[in-house]
């Protein structure tokens, strides 16, 4: 699955009228599918990450769901656990930096401008359609950026570049 296909799949899941998947779940599932990871349809580990972890407004779920999938990919591809952790951190740190550069923030509350913990804030979020456009763009950004890592050569090249840039 390339970046374009990953975006199409993300749109299919995230914009489904049944609202089964939030931002973290969508990115987690789509990247696991793209990476060929087991149990790709399983979204439960990412459920509480939507809205910046339990609607707290923290780190955007499009980043946290991606971080989980990248960690799984790193662990699968790298025998050394410490090296896999470093690789997952480097890839995720780059995503965070690029995401902030593109969207101006990484925290959900700053991105949507609402407190999702309150009934009024959550209602305004749903009724405004912010999730259909603004949040969708953030989900698309994460899957488009990371889906190419499914290719092992692309993964290795990305890690080399990130290691060269790391302090």
């Amino acid at each position: 699955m390339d970046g374009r296909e990953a975006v199409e799949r993300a749109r299919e899941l995230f914009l489904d009228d049944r609202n089964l998947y939030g931002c973290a779940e969508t990115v987690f599932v789509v990247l696991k599918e793209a990476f060929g990871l087991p149990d790709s349809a399983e979204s439960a580990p990412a459920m509480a990450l939507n809205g910046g972890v339990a609607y707290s407004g923290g780190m955007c779920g499009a980043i946290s769901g991606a971080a989980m999938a990248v960690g799984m990919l790193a662990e699968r591809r790298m025998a050394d656990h410490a090296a896999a952790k470093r690789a997952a951190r480097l890839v995720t740190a780059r995503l965070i930096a690029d995401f902030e550069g593109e969207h101006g923030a990484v925290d959900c509350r700053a991105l949507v401008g609402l407190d999702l913990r309150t009934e009024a804030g959550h209602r305004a979020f749903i009724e405004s359609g912010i999730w259909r456009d603004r949040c969708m763009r953030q989900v698309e950004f994460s899957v488009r950026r990371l889906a190419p890592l499914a290719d092992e050569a692309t993964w290795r090249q990305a890690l080399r570049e990130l290691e060269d840039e790391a302090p």
Side-chain angles (χ1 to χ4, degrees), residues 61-74:
I63 296 171
S64 57
M68 291 175 57
V70 166
M72 292 177 72
L73 179 63

Side-chain angles (χ1 to χ4, degrees), residues 107-123:
D107 289 341
C108 181
R109 188 167 300 127
L111 291 163
V112 301
L114 296 164
D115 185 349
L116 301 179
R117 295 174 297 180
T118 69
E119 184 178 329
H122 191 263
R123 187 175 46 255

